[in-house]
Amino acid sequence: DANAFTARFGKGGQLYSLRGAFGESIPPQGVGNPWNDEVWQSVAVCGKYNGLPGTQILPEAAAERLQKSPYADTYFIHNSGAYMGTHVDSGMITLSCDVRLDPKSTVPLSVILRDISTEPWKNIASLHMDTEALILNGKPFGSAEAGVWHTVTLSFGLGADSDGTLTATVAPHGGEATTAKTPFEESDIKVFNWLGLSAAGSSQGVIHIDNLCVKRTEGPDITWPLKEDFDDYPVGGSFAHIAGEDKAKGGTAFVSDSIAVSGKNSLEIHDAPGLVAGWAPVVRVDVQSTRSGSLYCPLLAADVPDGGRIYRTVNWGIVPQLKTIHRSPILYYVQTRDVGEGVIEVTYVLHNFSARDDIVFDWLNAPWGGTRITSLPYHYVSSADGELWDRQKSVELDLVSGIDVRETGGWNLSCATEADDSPSLALVFGRDRHLDAELERAAKGLPHCQISPSIYRDMISPLPEDLRRRPEQSWRNYDPAVVIPQLNLKPGTTIWYRSFLVVNRKDRAIELAKSLVDKVDYGYANFEPTTTPMVALPNAAIELFAHPVPGTMPLFLIENATTGQEVVTTDPYIFVPQEKLDLGIPPGNQKDDYYRQAVGYSMDENNTHWKRILGYGYVEKPEDADFVRLSELLDANRFPATNTPPPAGQAYHLELWVKRK
């Protein structure tokens, strides 16, 4: 059916798969951060302290210290997950590939392994191959024959498995293998994160490669950060992402099956002077290896009401940089509802529980998302007068820089074909239905949620000429579409935003999108203590508010994965490694207070299980006599003392007032 769809949701609360008659609409995932950016999600940005805008208020010396530290200063909160590092720093690493010296070229081939996490980079090993010699880290140990495929295997250990040496084996197909062992080219190698193949010389270089594979073994576990046999790459295809491309100078990368291994396609890359480096023709395949694994925004609750047409999640959003100076005070409540006829209603609710009053999120993405170009190559944005802007028009209008939503029709459309019955997906983002009233309230000094017109960004580009011949995952196969409602999420406040996705044939999707524009809605969510339900704390005579009543903080159940200790706390970072940073800021200047108290958080080293959200309790004692201190009802092992000095001056593990059951 044209309006049938299957939606799948990730642990971070993100919509990571949406399939319809068009196939999979979510883009292929990037290595190292799967289901993190190429998903439908909400994002919140703190403009005051986000990267350079924040560090520009610092003294130059302090800003320089911060930028040289291992901690990031960008401050945006994902509703999906964190950027995973691409470092392989332990285990036994085995790289193998089939290579062939080009019989028509005298240019040698080099296989290079590096650690590029340091500055300058450190070489692990370089294997140089030509018809006169095989040279490993400067030492000859054999030769290679032009026109013959050779299997190259390089293996070495990292971390506890490292003895500082690498073993290389080169075996011509049908011939005898040659093996050599050598110390790492440079000492103190910590990680492996870069593989390069280079054919450099005074004339054009050519690389023939197939069956490229990196295997990592640690104990009983084997992971494959990289595996390419190039069989899906069409013959004659040009791939700028592999080696760069400079058509004016004759440089290109393409696949040829005339030199295939076992009947498969192999990758043949040609080079020309100036393609990668101006001083010599260099053609290369750059590969950043990575371990498998992800850190998704902790799922604190989920619910599927009777009927199965609604899915709800509650997640603690996290800063996607795993080492950061910023804390996340954002809770994401997301409800996805199947309305019928292929209409998917998505409601994002964001709550800011910051203990500091200057952490305001004033740049929201609701949603950040987009479509897979190979599934939905025809893309349009509706204009305010009903015109459909195609890709070329969107580029002319510079929609990548953003446009006031009122200059659009409030929806976009992505289609498999241009036919009226084409499988299609629309995003309905509205036209700021409350803007005039909100700006009027602001002018009168009254509380208001919206601070300026919302923005729509359409980050599309012209279609590549060889769209249908490229492997789907071989390029950034993504049309991002971002809605930026200009809402002010201050500490202690809750904002909601509702939009729609429509799965249907093109003509019906357009009709439905137009009918839904005025149903896009947003605003503050206010919870009164007299009407907000209470929930019981498990295994304790305590009741908490189910929603963030004014003056309350969320309470989490968190487990130390090392010790097994479970604690009840307002601080989701309670078991995350952290260190006080000294940026050399003199006391007395309140403008620099945030950075003077800076703490580095290492989410990549945490040993935390965020189990669930328990509810909300008051920070200050209410008049109701039934409310008592949380510490009076829980022992110190479950609710640690709150008078422990934090790494910085601000306390985050707080005493709360809760209702005695």
Side-chain angles (χ1 to χ4, degrees):
D1 293 340
N3 60 10
F5 66 87
T6 301
R8 292 183 171 89
F9 302 90
K11 295 178 181 179
Q14 74 275 41
L15 177 60
Y16 77 86
S17 176
L18 179 60
R19 298 186 66 86
F22 38 70
E24 178 58 72
S25 68
I26 303 293
Q29 300 305 295
V31 173
N33 57 335
W35 317 120
N36 182 14
D37 267 334
E38 279 81 345
V39 296
W40 291 99
Q41 65 170 312
S42 182
V43 181
V45 183
C46 177
K48 182 175 183 179
Y49 295 121
N50 180 33
L52 288 178
T55 55
Q56 284 173 353
I57 70 175
L58 286 172
E60 184 176 347
E64 185 176 349
R65 283 195 189 189
L66 176 57
Q67 290 166 0
K68 287 184 177 180
S69 80
Y71 300 101
D73 58 8
T74 49
Y75 200 0
F76 56 95
I77 313 296
H78 264 198
N79 174 211
S80 57
Y83 298 129
M84 300 303 293
T86 57
H87 296 168
V88 175
D89 58 6
S90 61
M92 292 299 300
I93 314 302
T94 303
L95 177 144
S96 62
C97 58
D98 291 317
V99 296
R100 175 180 181 266
L101 294 179
D102 189 81
K104 298 178 181 179
S105 172
T106 59
V107 177
L109 173 66
S110 296
V111 182
I112 306 162
L113 306 177
R114 284 180 179 154
D115 170 5
I116 61 171
S117 63
T118 63
E119 189 175 334
W121 300 338
K122 293 184 177 181
N123 281 350
I124 300 173
S126 300
L127 174 63
H128 179 89
M129 301 177 64
D130 63 27
T131 54
E132 296 182 359
L134 295 172
I135 302 174
L136 180 64
N137 285 358
K139 296 182 179 180
F141 69 102
S143 62
E145 182 179 351
V148 174
W149 282 96
H150 297 72
T151 297
V152 173
T153 305
L154 303 172
S155 61
F156 55 96
L158 288 173
D161 293 314
S162 178
D163 62 1
T165 66
L166 174 140
T167 300
T169 300
V170 179
H173 287 196
E176 186 175 347
T178 303
T179 299
K181 189 171 184 177
T182 181
F184 291 158
E185 190 169 330
E186 297 182 62
S187 61
D188 195 29
I189 297 295
K190 300 295 185 184
V191 301
F192 161 57
N193 52 17
W194 189 87
L195 157 68
L197 286 93
S198 173
S202 58
S203 60
Q204 187 182 63
V206 181
I207 289 177
H208 303 306
I209 184 171
D210 203 356
N211 301 322
L212 178 61
C213 178
V214 178
K215 180 173 70 173
R216 172 180 172 271
T217 307
E218 188 167 40
D221 299 323
I222 297 177
T223 58
W224 297 85
L226 170 73
K227 189 174 184 180
E228 289 277 6
D229 61 13
F230 307 105
D231 205 26
D232 291 333
Y233 287 64
V235 175
S238 174
F239 304 102
H241 78 286
I242 293 176
E245 187 171 24
D246 188 341
K247 292 182 178 179
K249 296 181 179 179
T252 187
F254 66 91
V255 173
S256 168
D257 65 353
S258 63
I259 51 172
V261 177
S262 304
K264 294 183 177 182
N265 288 347
S266 57
L267 185 64
E268 178 181 325
I269 308 175
H270 288 237
D271 186 36
L275 177 60
V276 176
W279 54 270
V282 176
V283 57
R284 68 189 187 195
V285 178
D286 296 347
V287 176
Q288 287 195 340
S289 60
T290 178
R291 306 194 214 193
S292 61
S294 298
L295 178 59
Y296 295 118
C297 297
L299 180 63
L300 303 175
D303 179 42
V304 181
D306 293 342
R309 300 172 73 93
I310 296 177
Y311 182 60
R312 300 177 181 135
T313 57
V314 183
N315 289 82
W316 173 47
I318 57 177
V319 180
Q321 289 75 28
L322 289 173
K323 287 188 178 296
T324 175
I325 64 166
H326 302 300
R327 297 174 58 91
S328 168
I330 298 294
L331 286 173
Y332 286 106
Y333 293 75
V334 183
Q335 175 179 283
T336 307
R337 184 166 72 101
D338 177 7
V339 179
E341 272 208 87
V343 176
I344 306 169
E345 175 195 86
V346 183
T347 306
Y348 296 106
V349 180
L350 285 70
H351 177 66
N352 181 353
F353 63 93
S354 175
R356 290 183 59 108
D357 59 11
D358 60 343
I359 305 301
V360 178
F361 294 87
D362 50 7
W363 183 274
L364 308 179
N365 297 153
W368 166 281
T371 52
R372 181 181 296 218
I373 298 174
T374 48
S375 296
L376 296 160
Y378 297 93
H379 185 79
Y380 307 93
V381 178
S382 62
S383 72
D385 57 6
E387 180 186 356
L388 287 181
W389 296 329
D390 61 13
R391 289 178 180 277
Q392 182 177 349
K393 184 69 172 180
S394 294
V395 172
E396 291 173 1
L397 294 172
D398 191 28
L399 295 191
V400 67
S401 297
I403 186 172
D404 187 325
V405 296
R406 289 194 169 182
E407 296 183 35
T408 76
W411 53 276
N412 74 16
L413 184 71
S414 299
C415 311
T417 72
E418 295 181 282
D420 286 343
D421 63 352
S422 168
S424 302
L425 175 65
L427 166 65
V428 186
F429 50 84
R431 303 183 68 244
D432 269 352
R433 64 183 295 179
H434 301 304
L435 176 62
D436 297 334
E438 287 287 286
L439 295 184
E440 184 177 344
R441 290 178 63 82
K444 294 178 179 179
L446 298 174
H448 59 287
C449 174
Q450 189 165 8
I451 53 180
S452 62
S454 297
I455 300 168
Y456 172 77
R457 294 184 65 197
D458 207 86
M459 293 180 277
I460 67 167
S461 59
L463 291 177
E465 295 178 2
D466 57 349
L467 168 69
R468 294 300 181 188
R469 298 192 301 162
R470 293 190 182 197
E472 286 198 324
Q473 76 283 2
S474 68
W475 53 300
R476 198 176 192 214
N477 186 358
Y478 190 19
D479 274 336
V482 188
V483 183
I484 307 167
Q486 300 287 271
L487 310 178
N488 209 30
L489 184 59
K490 299 177 291 186
T493 62
T494 307
I495 283 176
W496 67 282
Y497 186 92
R498 175 174 294 146
S499 58
F500 300 89
L501 295 166
V502 181
V503 178
N504 217 305
R505 51 182 281 163
K506 179 182 176 182
D507 50 6
R508 184 58 178 148
I510 291 174
E511 292 176 3
L512 289 166
K514 290 179 178 178
S515 72
L516 291 167
V517 169
D518 291 338
K519 292 182 172 59
V520 173
D521 210 349
Y522 54 90
Y524 277 134
N526 300 307
F527 303 98
E528 296 298 327
T530 56
T531 58
T532 298
M534 306 289 286
V535 292
L537 187 68
N539 304 317
I542 298 170
E543 286 189 330
L544 303 163
F545 288 108
H547 308 305
V549 165
T552 64
M553 290 286 285
L555 204 57
F556 307 100
L557 180 63
I558 297 177
E559 180 185 20
N560 185 313
T562 301
T563 66
Q565 179 189 11
E566 283 190 350
V567 299
V568 172
T569 180
T570 59
D571 181 9
Y573 291 90
I574 193 166
F575 295 132
V576 174
Q578 45 197 279
E579 63 171 316
K580 179 72 173 71
L581 302 182
D582 182 5
L583 301 179
I585 301 173
N589 189 344
Q590 292 301 311
K591 180 181 71 172
D592 300 329
D593 173 69
Y594 183 83
Y595 294 99
R596 185 180 299 106
Q597 296 187 28
V599 172
Y601 297 93
S602 296
M603 293 288 287
D604 55 339
E605 300 173 16
N606 85 84
N607 62 342
T608 305
H609 290 160
W610 294 273
K611 304 193 79 167
R612 58 182 175 273
I613 185 170
L614 299 170
Y616 294 81
Y618 281 116
V619 176
E620 303 293 337
K621 186 181 187 306
E623 294 181 2
D624 193 327
D626 288 339
F627 282 82
V628 297
R629 294 180 186 274
L630 184 60
S631 59
E632 295 177 22
L633 302 176
L634 296 179
D635 62 47
N637 184 61
R638 197 171 187 205
F639 183 69
T642 58
N643 58 359
T644 303
Q650 182 71 50
Y652 298 101
H653 174 62
L654 305 176
E655 175 75 270
L656 294 184
W657 292 84
V658 298
K659 193 169 187 179
R660 189 192 301 271
K661 188 175 178 181

